[in-house]
Amino acid sequence: GPKYNWYFKDFVNGYLIDVLLPMNVYLLFQLAIRKRIPVKLSRISGTAFVFILAFSVEMLQKNGVPVFGSTFDPLDFVAYSVGIVLGILLDFYIIERFERADVKR
């Protein structure tokens, strides 16, 4: 939270949620649609959905509309992108392994 005052204080208070939230939204989106549409299409759709959502929120903040916060920070775009990439990597390297193992049973 905002009272965190230990290691990497500025990163944790300013950017950690901007990395973790897009990553988790991507992964939850995959859980929601993965069984209904092909995996490749779900990955593309999930990436596009989270990218558009995150960047729209930041642009609204830039224009004075307080959505999930009220402060525009251009570095949030980098944090959102990192979060999306982390979600995709987790999808490719962890979730896909579980899915393959489940198919083998």
Side-chain angles (χ1 to χ4, degrees):
K3 294 182 182 185
Y4 177 83
N5 199 19
W6 216 29
Y7 296 110
F8 308 109
K9 177 181 82 163
D10 293 332
F11 172 75
V12 170
N13 290 329
Y15 300 104
L16 185 60
I17 193 67
D18 295 332
V19 172
L20 295 178
L21 190 60
M23 178 186 75
N24 285 305
V25 169
Y26 171 85
L27 294 170
L28 289 171
F29 191 85
Q30 292 305 305
L31 286 173
I33 68 168
R34 191 74 152 238
K35 300 290 182 188
R36 295 184 182 113
I37 64 174
V39 172
K40 186 174 183 178
L41 182 58
S42 75
R43 286 180 175 146
I44 292 168
S45 301
T47 301
F49 172 76
V50 176
F51 186 82
I52 291 167
L53 179 66
F55 282 68
S56 295
V57 165
E58 199 63 28
M59 292 311 295
L60 287 168
Q61 289 177 359
K62 181 179 182 182
N63 292 310
V65 180
V67 178
F68 303 122
S70 59
T71 306
F72 171 75
D73 184 355
L75 288 178
D76 285 349
F77 292 119
V78 174
Y80 296 149
S81 299
V82 169
I84 294 168
V85 168
L86 286 174
I88 293 168
L89 290 174
L90 285 170
D91 184 7
F92 272 100
Y93 293 107
I94 296 175
I95 295 172
E96 190 169 288
R97 288 184 184 175
F98 283 112
E99 288 176 336
R100 274 191 255 137
D102 193 35
V103 169
K104 289 180 182 179
R105 286 188 209 179

